[in-house]
């Protein structure tokens, strides 16, 4: 008898192969883990019209209803079910085994519109030499997405948005910001719903005019911002930008340029949103790629129908994100239309169709080449927007009532992120409250006076987990406080670039108002702005 | 030009000079033998039987105003039914020659060269409303035997009269050209009173600086094949500008005309691609103002105004 066994190296390599064929373990966000666990069924009371049993019985009419039940959604005017409702529906429909089982097959798929290279059938060479039905992407029909990844957007306080809009109010130029916050359940309005709660808006370095804005990349600040946000438990949840034009009547009203008759999102903006949504996906164990969709929202501040300034929140559908990732669409000069690229030797573009009701009221399927309306990329909701709001009793993370000047504005709103403003906040009695400000924390991180551990402790103080005494005693904090004091004691000196202050040493600290130009000077005996002496 | 009726009957071959007079006229004529010079000055009508009638076919004549010998034109013959000594001319020819009713004219037989080219200038812009000027002119000129430079001819079409000035004829040389059985090349001058249509400049809210304009971000496309380009013609003769704006909106997405950088053409063709650098958001699209609902209902025009009339006679008695 001859016995054969695998040598140890071969056995190891086979093990490695089988191990790599298993999907890597996906770590979901806490909100997803929370909602997955809940059953999501909606309890109903005994229906007085139809139930024919007593209080302790249950029948079809009062049975708890599933979160994806279409009749329930229609009754409550929920046009899109939440993502977790959709997931539950998919799990039931596909009879998916529980996640630990060996025959677990993820029910969700991410759309992919690129050619499969090399072809799975292996009967021909790569494109453009060969193409078959196995490797070519299937035709796309743009239908509305019936679920949403995010059901509501909440800003912790109205001042967050107000301070953001202040830039436009002062300069007339548009502004861009990144939304940092966290996710919470929104189950009272939408079964298994998720809401995005915005705690702060970070404004990256950018170039602003009234008709365009350009982000300056690479952004060196971004890493610091991300680490501060991460330490505070905040994620990047979206972006916001303004598109406001004053209507010129002097009444403080603005032009409503985004409405049903024109566009809500231009094609270029929609593709930019889709691009960012692709970069911040939601980790999902139930998707074949480990990711599914994105919760990144796009908020646009623009004029509403009454001429007031309002926020509208949008998301691009997963199909749209897939199309942008696989690079088959491009923006057009007409904001209402998206162009589909034409098939070339480098790239095979699949057929795209969209459905709409034509003038005779019939559902018509039309080829989307060369263009199709942008609306087909948006997750349509009521008026094509996600709902947004402010909480009834605000409990914001950042509680500062003395807001620190916002970064990268270069003094456009009249205040600078200079040492003077730092000093005024860290030397006051309300220091803990003043520190509860995202922008100040970023600035302190940038200044780099605090050691890593001290800074981490500072963040804990802000979150209320430690008392401030733990930080104030540290050497690095003392250094910071001293430097701030020194810098602030100079007349308008410090680190701000645009200050035109005198370097006069030994200047007085008293504030005085110039009689000629009414500028509020911090000290010195001649006015900083008009140069006239401080006559008594 | 077609004569209303120009008849030479009654004037025998011996007349030394012919008169075109619209009143009765009696004259004696002298007879001359055939030894008359060829290329005769005087028209000889009586060609009954005499083959020595020195006349070139087709019969074309040069008519000169006796009072103003500089005014002359050329004409052919329609019919020979007029009274003796009379010639009936079309009105426009009487105008051209500055002849009044009954004045004298010298009529001389000439042989005109076959015409190759003629340049016409309509005297009014109404001529532009004709849907098929070629057919109209062909029919009209078929009534003519010859054309003379600097004549203003009148043609009738669809119950309307059109004056056309003959600007130039080739072969030239001051004489007319014969247009009988030739292929004539026709060219047009702009009609009198024609104004170039003004280009409408589209207003934009966006300031036209290089960074913010849409043009700086678009790339002109290569020429694509367009199967049915061209402006199209309406059957009823109306100009295409009368269409409502709604048609243009439909056209702009269906015609695959090549998109250029200019903003005007982009509205009528497939919109060009917009290439923005990464991280740039552009807001400068043309603003479509919001239509309020109450405004819309006010704009709707009144239809079917006016009192109605009934055909049914009221029953009397």
């Amino acid at each position: 008898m001859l016995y054969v066994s695998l040598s140890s190296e071969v056995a190891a390599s086979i093990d490695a192969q089988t191990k790599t064929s298993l999907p890597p373990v996906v770590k979901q966000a806490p909100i997803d883990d929370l909602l997955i666990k809940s059953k999501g069924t909606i309890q109903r009371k005994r229906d007085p019209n139809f139930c024919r049993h007593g209080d302790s019985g249950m029948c079809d009419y009062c049975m708890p209803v599933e979160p994806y039940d279409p009749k329930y959604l229609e009754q409550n005017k929920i046009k899109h079910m939440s993502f977790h409702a959709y997931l539950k529906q998919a799990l039931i429909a596909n009879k998916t085994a529980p996640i630990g089982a060996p025959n677990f097959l993820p029910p969700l798929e991410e759309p992919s519109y690129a050619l499969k290279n090399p072809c799975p059938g292996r009967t021909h060479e790569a494109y453009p030499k060969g193409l078959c039905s196995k490797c070519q992407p299937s035709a796309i029909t743009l239908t509305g997405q019936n679920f949403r990844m995010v059901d509501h957007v909440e800003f912790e306080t109205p001042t967050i948005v107000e301070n953001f809009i202040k830039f436009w109010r002062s300069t007339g130029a548009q502004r861009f910001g990144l939304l940092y916050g966290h996710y919470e359940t929104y189950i009272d309005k939408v079964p298994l719903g998720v809401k995005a709660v915005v705690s702060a808006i970070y404004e990256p370095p950018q170039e602003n005019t009234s008709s365009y804005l350009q982000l300056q990349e690479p952004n060196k600040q971004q890493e610091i911002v991300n680490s501060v946000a991460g330490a505070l438990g905040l994620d990047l949840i979206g972006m916001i930008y303004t598109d406001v034009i004053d209507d010129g009547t002097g009444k403080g009203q603005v032009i409503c340029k985004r409405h049903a008759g024109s566009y809500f999102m231009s094609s270029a903006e929609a593709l930019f949103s889709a691009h960012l949504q692709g970069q911040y996906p939601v980790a999902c164990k139930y998707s074949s790629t480990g990711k599914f969709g994105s919760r990144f929202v796009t908020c646009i501040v623009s004029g509403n129908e009454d001429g007031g300034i309002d926020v509208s929140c949008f998301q691009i559908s997963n199909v749209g994100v897939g199309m942008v990732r696989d690079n088959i669409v491009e923006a057009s000069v007409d904001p209402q239309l998206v162009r589909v690229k034409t098939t070339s030797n480098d790239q095979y573009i699949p057929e795209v169709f969209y459905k709409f009701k034509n003038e005779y009221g019939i559902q018509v399927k039309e080829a989307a080449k060369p263009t199709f309306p942008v609306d087909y990329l948006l997750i349509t909701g009521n008026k094509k927007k996600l709902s947004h709001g402010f909480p009834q009793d605000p409990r914001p993370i950042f509680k500062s009532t003395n807001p620190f000047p916002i970064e990268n504005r270069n003094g456009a709103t009249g205040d600078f992120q200079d040492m003077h403003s730092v000093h005024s906040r860290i030397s006051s009695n309300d220091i803990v409250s003043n520190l509860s400000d995202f922008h100040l924390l970023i600035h302190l991180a940038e200044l780099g006076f605090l050691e890593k551990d001290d800074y981490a402790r500072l963040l804990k103080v802000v979150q209320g987990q430690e008392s401030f005494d733990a930080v104030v005693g540290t050497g690095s904090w003392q250094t910071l406080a001293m430097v701030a004091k020194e810098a602030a004691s100079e007349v308008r000196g410090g680190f701000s670039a645009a200050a035109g202050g005198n370097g006069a040493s030994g200047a007085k600290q008293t504030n005085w108002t110039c009689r000629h130009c009414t500028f509020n000077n911090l000290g010195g005996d001649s006015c900083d702005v008009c140069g006239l002496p401080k006559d008594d | 030009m077609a004569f209303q009726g120009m008849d030479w009957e009654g004037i025998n071959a011996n007349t030394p000079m012919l008169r075109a007079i619209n009143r009765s006229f009696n004259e004696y004529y002298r007879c001359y033998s055939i030894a008359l010079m060829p290329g005769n000055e005087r028209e000889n009508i009586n060609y009954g039987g005499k083959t020595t009638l020195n006349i070139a076919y087709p019969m074309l004549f040069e008519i000169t105003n006796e009072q103003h010998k500089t005014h002359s034109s050329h004409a052919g013959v329609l019919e020979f039914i007029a009274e003796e000594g009379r010639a009936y001319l079309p009105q426009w020819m009487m105008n051209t020659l500055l002849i009044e009713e009954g004045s004298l004219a010298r009529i001389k037989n000439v042989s005109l060269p076959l015409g190759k080219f003629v340049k016409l200038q309509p005297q009014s812009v109404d001529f532009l409303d004709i849907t098929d000027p070629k057919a109209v002119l062909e029919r009209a000129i078929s009534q003519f035997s010859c054309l003379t430079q600097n004549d203003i001819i009148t043609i009738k079409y669809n119950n309307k009269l059109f004056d056309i000035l003959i600007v130039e004829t080739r072969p030239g040389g001051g004489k007319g050209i014969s247009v009988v059985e030739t292929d004539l090349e026709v060219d047009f001058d702009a009609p009198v009173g024609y104004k170039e249509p003004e280009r409408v400049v589209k207003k934009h809210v966006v300031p036209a600086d290089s960074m913010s304009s849409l043009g700086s971000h678009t790339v002109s496309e290569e020429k694509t094949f367009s199967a049915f380009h061209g402006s199209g013609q309406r059957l009823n003769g109306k100009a295409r500008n009368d269409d409502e704006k709604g048609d243009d909106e439909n056209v702009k997405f269906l015609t695959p005309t090549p998109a250029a950088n200019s903003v005007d053409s982009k509205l009528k063709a497939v919109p060009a691609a917009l290439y923005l650098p990464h991280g740039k958001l552009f807001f400068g699209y043309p603003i479509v103002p919001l239509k309020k609902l109450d405004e819309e209902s006010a704009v709707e025009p009144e239809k079917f105004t006016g009192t109605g009339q009934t055909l049914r006679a009221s029953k009397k008695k």
Side-chain angles (χ1 to χ4, degrees):
Chain A
M1 276 285 200
L2 188 64
Y3 288 94
V4 178
S5 70
L6 290 167
S7 72
S8 52
E9 296 108 20
V10 178
S13 72
I14 290 180
D15 274 347
Q17 271 184 358
T18 46
K19 278 207 183 102
T20 49
S21 65
L22 285 172
V25 176
V26 175
K27 185 168 185 323
Q28 293 188 160
I31 184 96
D32 289 312
D33 289 329
L34 182 69
L35 286 173
I36 290 276
K37 287 197 195 106
S38 87
K39 276 184 71 180
T41 53
I42 303 142
Q43 300 291 339
R44 286 190 290 181
K45 293 208 187 74
R46 186 174 169 278
D47 190 342
N49 291 334
F50 292 108
C51 288
R52 295 198 178 293
H53 52 81
D55 283 329
S56 55
M58 195 174 264
C59 69
D60 238 350
Y61 296 106
C62 58
M63 205 175 73
V65 75
E66 299 286 351
Y68 44 85
D69 184 47
K71 282 202 205 84
Y72 176 80
L73 294 175
E74 205 184 312
Q75 265 177 347
N76 293 43
K77 296 211 181 31
I78 302 168
K79 288 202 179 155
H80 303 270
M81 61 175 102
S82 72
F83 164 62
H84 280 275
Y86 177 77
L87 177 58
K88 288 217 167 14
Q89 189 181 39
L91 287 170
I92 303 283
N94 290 359
K95 298 194 181 75
T96 311
I99 201 158
N103 57 340
F104 167 75
L105 198 65
L108 299 177
E109 293 252 337
E110 281 207 300
S112 165
Y113 304 118
L115 271 182
K116 295 189 189 48
N117 201 1
C119 171
R122 295 190 185 275
T123 49
H124 59 85
E125 294 173 23
Y127 188 84
K129 292 195 185 141
L131 188 69
C132 76
S133 55
K134 288 202 184 118
C135 60
Q136 83 178 32
S138 51
I140 310 169
T141 304
L142 296 169
T143 51
Q145 186 175 292
N146 59 346
F147 64 94
R148 289 186 296 205
M149 303 300 296
V150 173
D151 302 287
H152 183 73
V153 177
E154 189 177 84
F155 294 91
E156 282 187 342
T157 65
T159 44
I160 297 173
V161 183
E162 257 312 311
N163 287 343
F164 179 69
I165 300 176
K166 215 162 143 200
F167 182 86
W168 172 81
R169 288 196 201 277
S170 318
T171 63
Q174 315 299 348
R175 191 75 173 159
F176 178 91
L178 292 172
L179 303 173
Y180 282 90
H182 58 284
Y183 296 107
E184 286 178 17
T185 60
Y186 190 56
I187 41 186
D188 33 346
K189 291 277 168 61
V190 176
L192 294 176
V194 169
K195 71 176 171 185
V197 181
V198 179
S199 306
I201 302 178
Y202 161 69
E203 299 176 15
Q206 53 192 278
E207 191 189 313
N208 308 93
T209 69
S210 69
S211 60
Y212 72 91
L213 54 89
Q214 166 87 59
L215 301 178
Q216 279 156 355
E217 283 166 5
N219 179 11
K220 299 186 201 106
Q221 248 183 359
Q222 191 67 45
E223 265 188 57
I224 299 174
V225 177
N226 286 346
S227 65
V228 172
L232 288 169
L234 302 174
D235 298 314
L236 176 60
I237 59 176
M239 62 175 170
I240 184 170
Y241 49 90
T242 64
D243 181 14
V244 190
I245 298 182
D246 187 77
D247 68 353
T249 58
K251 282 189 252 170
Q253 300 218 310
V254 296
I255 299 179
C256 176
K257 53 195 289 222
R258 290 167 187 257
H259 49 85
S262 66
Y263 58 94
F264 286 107
M265 279 186 100
S266 73
S267 51
E269 290 165 12
L271 298 187
F272 184 58
S273 294
H275 175 72
L276 286 173
Q277 279 184 223
Q279 289 187 331
Y280 296 100
V282 170
C284 181
K285 291 186 202 172
Y286 297 93
S287 158
S288 53
T289 53
K291 302 175 285 191
F292 189 78
S294 166
R295 291 206 168 100
F296 193 91
V297 290
T298 305
C299 299
I300 305 180
V301 179
S302 187
N304 60 12
E305 296 189 353
D306 305 317
I309 301 180
D310 206 5
V311 179
S312 324
C313 309
F314 303 94
Q315 267 209 308
I316 307 292
S317 67
N318 291 356
V319 170
V321 175
M323 284 165 73
V324 170
R325 184 178 41 228
D326 296 324
N327 208 11
I328 60 178
V329 286
E330 55 189 8
S332 88
V333 293
D334 184 340
Q336 294 182 4
L337 299 176
V338 179
R339 282 167 58 104
V340 178
K341 291 189 180 173
T342 46
T343 299
S344 72
N345 275 340
D346 305 315
Q347 206 185 7
Y348 174 79
I349 311 282
E351 291 289 321
V352 184
F353 297 99
Y354 66 104
K355 288 192 180 147
F356 66 101
K357 267 204 173 121
N358 67 357
E359 60 224 351
Y360 304 109
I362 311 171
Q363 283 284 356
V364 167
K365 195 169 170 179
E366 167 107 2
K369 285 185 178 175
T371 60
F372 64 89
V374 183
D375 301 338
Y376 288 89
L377 290 181
L378 302 175
I379 299 179
T380 54
N382 280 342
K383 292 183 194 170
K384 299 195 198 324
K385 301 178 209 169
L386 295 176
S387 57
H388 74 282
F390 303 96
Q392 295 280 47
D393 51 340
R395 270 173 287 126
I397 288 183
F398 298 112
K399 308 174 192 57
S400 165
T401 48
N402 185 4
F404 188 70
I406 299 183
E407 57 276 333
N408 298 318
R409 280 195 178 174
N410 294 327
T413 46
D415 45 6
F416 296 90
Q417 281 194 332
D418 53 359
M419 287 313 280
H420 177 78
S421 41
V422 172
H423 174 76
S424 71
R425 278 151 184 95
I426 61 177
S427 59
S428 81
N429 286 335
D430 299 321
I431 180 165
V432 181
S433 155
N434 280 345
L435 279 173
S436 180
D437 186 316
F438 193 58
H439 307 283
L440 176 56
L441 292 171
I442 296 173
H443 190 64
L444 288 176
E446 258 194 318
L447 287 176
F449 283 108
L450 293 175
E451 302 289 316
K452 254 194 156 150
D453 301 330
D454 297 333
Y455 190 78
R457 218 173 290 168
L458 178 68
L459 291 182
K460 288 214 176 80
V461 171
V462 172
Q463 291 175 301
Q465 293 164 8
E466 280 193 25
S467 96
F468 183 60
D469 309 324
V471 175
V472 76
T474 62
S476 49
W477 180 265
Q478 295 288 355
T479 320
L480 170 66
M482 206 158 56
V483 173
K485 194 167 164 193
E486 282 286 333
S489 63
E490 293 178 19
V491 180
R492 293 286 287 165
F495 298 97
S496 68
N502 300 335
S505 54
K508 289 170 244 176
Q509 275 281 47
T510 54
N511 284 6
W512 59 276
T513 311
C514 172
R515 278 193 312 126
H516 307 279
C517 69
T518 73
F519 180 69
N520 193 7
N521 286 284
L522 296 163
D525 42 63
S526 62
C527 174
D528 286 330
V529 167
C530 64
L532 296 169
K534 172 188 179 189
D535 283 325
D536 283 303
Chain B
M1 156 217 145
F3 276 46
Q4 289 283 14
M6 176 164 173
D7 200 297
W8 302 89
E9 238 177 309
I11 303 174
N12 52 26
N14 301 327
T15 24
M17 185 162 108
L18 295 162
R19 295 172 189 212
I21 312 167
N22 279 353
R23 53 182 189 246
S24 50
F25 183 83
N26 257 337
E27 191 173 301
Y28 281 101
Y29 300 97
R30 284 250 201 99
C31 288
Y32 284 81
S33 67
I34 315 167
L36 223 60
M37 285 184 314
N40 44 356
E41 273 262 301
R42 324 296 186 224
E43 159 63 348
N44 195 326
I45 269 295
N46 195 353
Y47 30 83
K50 289 258 179 158
T51 55
T52 50
L53 179 68
N54 270 339
I55 185 162
Y57 284 90
M59 278 201 283
L60 297 171
F61 306 93
E62 185 186 343
I63 311 175
T64 312
N65 186 351
E66 281 292 282
Q67 316 285 16
H68 305 94
K69 289 219 172 54
T70 50
H71 286 84
S72 73
S73 185
H74 299 82
V77 181
L78 176 66
E79 291 164 336
F80 297 93
I81 56 169
E83 296 92 15
E84 186 178 327
R86 288 190 188 197
Y88 293 95
L89 317 181
Q91 183 62 39
W92 62 265
M93 182 159 279
M94 312 233 351
N95 296 340
T96 309
L97 296 171
L98 297 179
I99 298 177
E100 288 182 4
E101 298 285 345
S103 52
L104 286 175
R106 173 170 298 229
I107 294 175
K108 170 176 154 189
N109 176 49
V110 289
S111 72
L112 296 175
L114 278 182
K116 294 205 181 57
F117 170 83
V118 67
K119 190 175 212 179
L120 308 174
Q121 185 196 35
Q123 295 299 100
S124 102
V125 288
D126 293 338
F127 192 78
L128 297 172
D129 290 332
I130 299 179
T131 30
D132 193 359
K134 179 169 181 274
V136 169
L137 278 176
E138 264 178 15
R139 207 162 155 275
I141 294 188
S142 68
Q143 309 274 350
F144 288 72
S145 311
C146 58
L147 297 172
T148 315
Q149 192 158 329
N150 294 325
D151 269 1
I152 297 183
I153 63 176
T154 307
I155 61 173
K156 181 174 171 183
Y157 169 70
N158 203 19
N159 286 328
K160 276 197 283 196
L161 300 175
F162 300 97
D163 288 328
I164 300 178
L165 169 70
I166 314 232
V167 179
E168 187 197 337
T169 61
R170 279 197 219 129
K175 289 178 111 182
I177 50 169
S178 164
V179 297
V180 175
E181 290 184 32
T182 68
D183 282 325
L184 200 60
E185 195 187 316
V186 177
D187 189 20
F188 283 97
D189 256 350
V192 170
Y194 175 72
K195 272 190 250 176
E196 281 287 334
E198 288 165 12
R199 298 217 86 212
V200 177
V201 176
K202 291 230 179 259
K203 267 197 161 180
H204 282 278
V205 180
V206 178
D209 58 309
S210 61
M211 267 308 280
S212 70
S213 67
L214 280 173
S216 65
H217 292 299
T218 61
V219 175
S220 61
E221 307 208 329
E222 322 98 47
K223 282 200 188 296
T224 55
F225 170 69
S226 55
F228 298 107
H229 60 273
S231 56
Q233 299 276 356
R234 287 190 67 148
L235 288 178
N236 62 1
K238 280 200 201 137
R240 208 150 172 269
N241 299 334
D242 293 342
D243 292 349
E244 313 121 30
K245 225 170 157 228
D247 286 341
D248 271 351
E249 303 268 313
N250 289 334
V251 164
K252 78 182 168 187
F253 300 131
L254 296 176
T255 41
T257 45
N261 261 339
S262 74
V263 177
D264 278 333
S265 65
K266 94 164 185 290
L267 291 177
K268 285 206 170 20
V270 176
L274 179 66
Y275 296 113
L276 291 175
H278 188 257
K280 180 160 180 174
L281 288 170
F282 180 73
F283 303 119
Y285 304 102
I287 295 181
V288 177
L290 177 69
K291 264 199 205 134
K292 298 269 179 188
L293 284 171
D294 43 335
E295 279 174 26
E296 266 198 66
S297 52
V299 167
E300 239 196 280
E302 277 266 351
K303 296 178 193 163
F304 304 119
T305 52
T307 60
Q309 303 279 352
T310 172
L311 289 177
R312 186 196 197 119
S314 57
K315 290 203 176 135
K316 293 180 185 168
K317 292 175 210 169

